[in-house]
Amino acid sequence: MTRLWAEVLDVDTVGLDDDFFELGGDSLVAATLVAAVKAGFATEMRESQIPELNTPRRLLTLVSDHAGPARAALPSNVVAINPDGRRAPIFLIHGAAGIVFLKPRFRDALHPDQPVYIFQAQGYDGAAPPLDTVEAIAAGYLQSILKVQPEPPWHLASFCAGGWIAVDIVRQMQLEGRTPATVVLVDTNLPSGMRKDYSLKRIHVGGIRLPALPDPIVGMIKGSYGLVRRMKLFLKTGRFKDVHDPEAFEDPAIRRRLVSDMQRHNRQRGTKRTKVFAEGAESAALAQEADALDGIFGSEAAALTTTLLRRAYRAYVPAPSDFPFSFIVSTRRSAAFGDPDYPINRLLPNRNVVISGESHEDAVSSRETAQLIQRLVDGDHA
């Protein structure tokens, strides 16, 4: 097992307790490792299990069929990290990408006895059909949360657009008479449809926010954008429809085109790193596995899931809530919270905002953010 890891990660030696991510592993390398384990040990596993089985010793427990029954009973899109920890778990929800790989600095900043359950988008691995509304996604995640933790306390955290899945989980829990203890939204922006409307209404020139445009003007601008979208889609598919209309995706030609475009996007995103990895591989077999990564990350299942997830975020209109949400926000996204017309301020008025990091990447992956989440879960709301 350690020799296999060393070959896949292109390092000289690997110890039984060396961490996959600290050795330079990422989602692309994870796919190669999974393929190598399947071939070398005749063991079925998924890339989403790597955050849990992040050392050769832990991965050997899977190979030896020693995995706990509770973990095996979870859906394939739920990844358990430190599930034997004695604290109440944190349920962590993915962002717009639909998949989460926690960096070592983030995981290590959490309490060593803290279990974390990570939700990846259902459908990304092809094990289940993808969902197309935030409400349906939230309902599925809530079912898994109650399976792991039937009784309170419940702690939720989410990245980026996944904050709206968390918001809808809270809504559904409250309808059932349940109340989560903590909900942390990390650098959550508006749902993409609402964000576009807000950006049109409150135009910025440099750092200066201009007066709000009147609704008729905003409507005219939106109409012109819609016309451009229809013309672009007509040139691609022969269908004169707005790609953002819910009915458009039911058209087989449009559906095929959108999924195909997403596959191409996913492949382009990974091609450069894949080529570098393949060129540096010491064995021909490893180079072939690296070349095959474009097919893994550009699969139709992954493309369809990402496409539907983006459409779900665009269509979602959250209901107002007085639940006390905690926001961890990057400096670059913090300015909007000072605008009384910012829809989040109206939708979620009972909020606490803390700044962590300059950029979005800082906010969702830094040690400081993990420490803030742990403090909030532990009851330190200062």
Side-chain angles (χ1 to χ4, degrees), residues 236-248:
K236 291 181 178 181
T237 67
R239 307 291 201 271
F240 193 70
K241 296 182 179 180
D242 189 333
V243 70
H244 291 159
D245 287 345
E247 297 79 9

Side-chain angles (χ1 to χ4, degrees), residues 325-343:
F325 292 96
S326 295
F327 279 81
I328 297 176
V329 184
S330 64
T331 300
R332 293 178 186 174
R333 289 190 176 178
S334 63
F337 285 88
D339 179 5
D341 290 330
Y342 188 46

Side-chain angles (χ1 to χ4, degrees), residues 12 46 52 64 78-79 96 115 141 152 174 189 192-193 201 222 243 246 256 300 333 337 371 373:
D12 293 334
R46 308 177 304 275
E52 177 188 0
S64 303
V78 182
V79 181
Y141 292 1
Q174 290 179 324
N189 207 337
S192 52
K201 193 174 183 68
K222 289 178 62 178
V243 70
R256 285 194 302 270
E300 184 174 354
R333 289 190 176 178
F337 285 88
Q371 290 173 333
I373 292 174

Side-chain angles (χ1 to χ4, degrees), residues 103 105-106 159 186 360-367 369-370:
K103 294 188 176 181
R105 66 189 183 202
F106 189 101
F159 290 144
V186 181
H360 178 67
E361 176 63 23
D362 295 335
V364 299
S365 65
S366 70
R367 178 180 179 83
T369 293

Side-chain angles (χ1 to χ4, degrees), residues 145 180 189 196 350:
I145 288 169
N189 207 337
K196 188 65 176 178
N350 189 11

Side-chain angles (χ1 to χ4, degrees), residues 66-88:
H66 291 160
R71 275 169 274 171
L74 290 173
S76 65
N77 64 306
V78 182
V79 181
I81 295 178
N82 194 25
D84 297 325
R86 291 171 293 180
R87 291 179 164 226

Side-chain angles (χ1 to χ4, degrees), residues 7 32 274 277-293:
E7 184 177 10
T32 303
T274 301
F277 184 78
E279 292 169 358
E282 296 180 0
S283 72
L286 193 57
Q288 287 180 346
E289 289 173 2
D291 285 335
L293 288 181

